Amino acid sequence: MSESTTTAVIAAGVLETEPHGRTGWKRLLLGRPAIMIYALLVVVAGAMITVPRFASPVTTGFLLLDVIPVLLIAMPMTLVILTGEIDLSVASTAGLTSAVIGVLWQAGLDIGLVLVIGLVVGAIAGAVNGALVAFAGLPSLAVTIGTLALFRGLALVVIGDNAVADFPAELTAFFTSKLGATGIPTVMIGVVLVVAFFGVLLHLTAFGRALPAIGFSKEAARFVGIKVAQAKFWLFVGTGSVSALAGIYWTLRYSSARSDNASGLELAVIAAVLLGGVSIFGGRGTIPGVVAGVLLIGVVNYALRLGRVSEVVLIIVTGSLLIASVIAPSIGEALSAWRHDRRVRRELPRAAGSGHVRAS
């Protein structure tokens, strides 16, 4: 056996001993979702100590009311990004839905029918994105940048500069009501059901378990029988439908339908999803991590608001968290690779000197 072959074989033996990631309790307690939950608890504790009025049921209620639209849209967005795609039109879809239900309600239609039509509008918007990405093969970034402007423009065409504000008072009261003295909004029951649905879909079904494979390699996913195009299409329909649901919530919570409702919401959604551990390149992420990311950004923003920090600073904070959530995993992976290479270089001479070389 030549010296180069010997070195290669020893290196392979060292590499084989390297664990392929944490397993069992270590993965549960030290994985990215767990780290996000720890960070959330630390930030909440810090805010309770340092920010006046933060530790109260009133704060809990308003904080959760603020994060509900982000939390809703972050669920399907997680699945989309897992496949290596992205949807930047979610806030515009919510705004278009708000405009449509405002005009239809003002025209005298039954509120139940109006809300159903609003959901259909969101599903159609998502289907447009899905068809262009999945079947036409266009890049989702370019497609959804275009539909971001298109859907917002359609909202302005539908309702103009007007605002519809005479929605049924009982609906607004319901969307702002609390569960007893806890401060937890009543609508959180529905939001929890949505989160549970996407958690089960991603982690406990064959369809969900196939999504990271699509993010790692579309060709390999097709080779093993995954219907990549169909999966992506229905994921975009999902983002459109849930964005419409968020638009309905936004409209009825504030009792105001406007074309600019939910403007800028896509930044908060993407920042929360990436902060929650979903790789921007696809293939990795969990629902618990994303929920923690949404709540973490919500707590930070609300604590800063209570501290009378300006909206400009809040936008800067959200943008900074978005950048950090993209950069941090790359730095972590680079450090892990450096430690692994250092271990290999340290083990090679030791293994060569001991004569423990496998037969080639």
Side-chain angles (χ1 to χ4, degrees):
M1 183 183 296
S2 67
E3 182 179 352
S4 61
T5 304
T6 301
T7 303
V9 171
I10 295 171
V14 173
L15 289 172
E16 280 182 355
T17 65
E18 183 69 12
H20 297 285
R22 301 185 182 98
T23 59
W25 286 105
K26 283 189 176 181
R27 184 174 184 180
L28 182 64
L29 298 177
L30 299 177
R32 181 65 178 268
I35 291 173
M36 291 305 306
I37 293 172
Y38 301 150
L40 173 63
L41 294 176
V42 169
V43 171
V44 169
M48 292 174 67
I49 294 171
T50 60
V51 180
R53 304 182 306 279
F54 186 87
S56 70
V58 174
T59 295
T60 300
F62 282 110
L63 191 157
L64 291 176
L65 286 172
D66 285 348
V67 303
I68 282 174
V70 178
L71 186 55
L72 285 172
I73 300 175
M75 295 299 100
M77 184 71 81
T78 297
L79 274 58
V80 168
I81 295 180
L82 271 174
T83 64
E85 306 293 351
I86 197 167
D87 189 349
L88 298 176
S89 68
V90 288
S92 297
T93 301
L96 176 59
T97 301
S98 179
V100 168
I101 63 178
V103 169
L104 294 179
W105 170 247
Q106 195 172 48
L109 271 68
D110 176 74
I111 188 63
L113 178 60
V114 167
L115 298 183
V116 170
I117 293 174
L119 289 174
V120 171
V121 167
I124 292 173
V128 170
N129 285 333
L132 292 174
V133 173
F135 302 127
L138 300 177
S140 58
L141 180 64
V143 168
T144 57
I145 285 176
T147 52
L148 178 154
L150 172 63
F151 296 157
R152 190 65 72 177
L154 288 175
L156 189 59
V157 170
V158 168
I159 201 171
D161 292 328
N162 303 318
V164 177
D166 60 343
F167 290 95
E170 59 272 18
L171 276 180
T172 299
F174 170 77
F175 276 88
T176 56
S177 63
K178 309 295 192 303
L179 294 172
T182 63
I184 299 174
T186 305
V187 292
M188 279 301 297
I189 297 174
V191 174
V192 169
L193 292 177
V194 172
V195 172
F197 169 80
F198 280 98
V200 171
L201 179 64
L202 175 59
H203 299 296
L204 299 178
T205 69
F207 175 81
R209 288 193 293 267
L211 298 181
I214 297 174
F216 278 121
S217 172
K218 294 187 289 291
E219 292 73 19
R222 292 191 187 97
F223 182 77
V224 297
I226 297 173
K227 298 179 179 179
V228 174
Q230 291 89 331
K232 288 186 177 183
F233 173 79
W234 287 111
L235 290 180
F236 278 98
V237 172
T239 57
S241 301
V242 177
S243 296
L245 190 63
I248 291 171
Y249 165 80
W250 192 292
T251 302
L252 296 179
R253 178 196 171 184
Y254 297 107
S255 192
S256 176
R258 298 172 53 91
S259 63
D260 60 350
N261 275 355
S263 291
L265 192 65
E266 65 279 342
L267 175 62
V269 171
I270 295 171
V273 170
L274 299 184
L275 187 64
V278 179
S279 171
I280 188 63
F281 305 107
R284 185 176 67 246
T286 66
I287 291 297
V290 171
V291 172
V294 171
L295 294 177
L296 180 59
I297 290 180
V299 168
V300 169
N301 283 340
Y302 201 81
L304 292 176
R305 284 196 184 97
L306 287 179
R308 301 183 184 279
V309 175
S310 69
E311 290 292 329
V312 174
V313 175
L314 295 180
I315 295 173
I316 293 173
V317 169
T318 302
S320 300
L321 289 173
L322 176 57
I323 294 172
S325 62
V326 174
I327 294 176
S330 298
I331 295 175
E333 290 174 5
L335 289 174
S336 297
W338 175 78
R339 286 196 299 267
H340 178 247
D341 291 344
R342 185 180 178 186
R343 179 186 170 189
V344 170
R345 288 194 298 269
R346 187 170 60 247
E347 293 292 337
L348 278 174
R350 186 183 308 168
S354 65
H356 293 160
V357 181
R358 298 174 300 174
S360 59

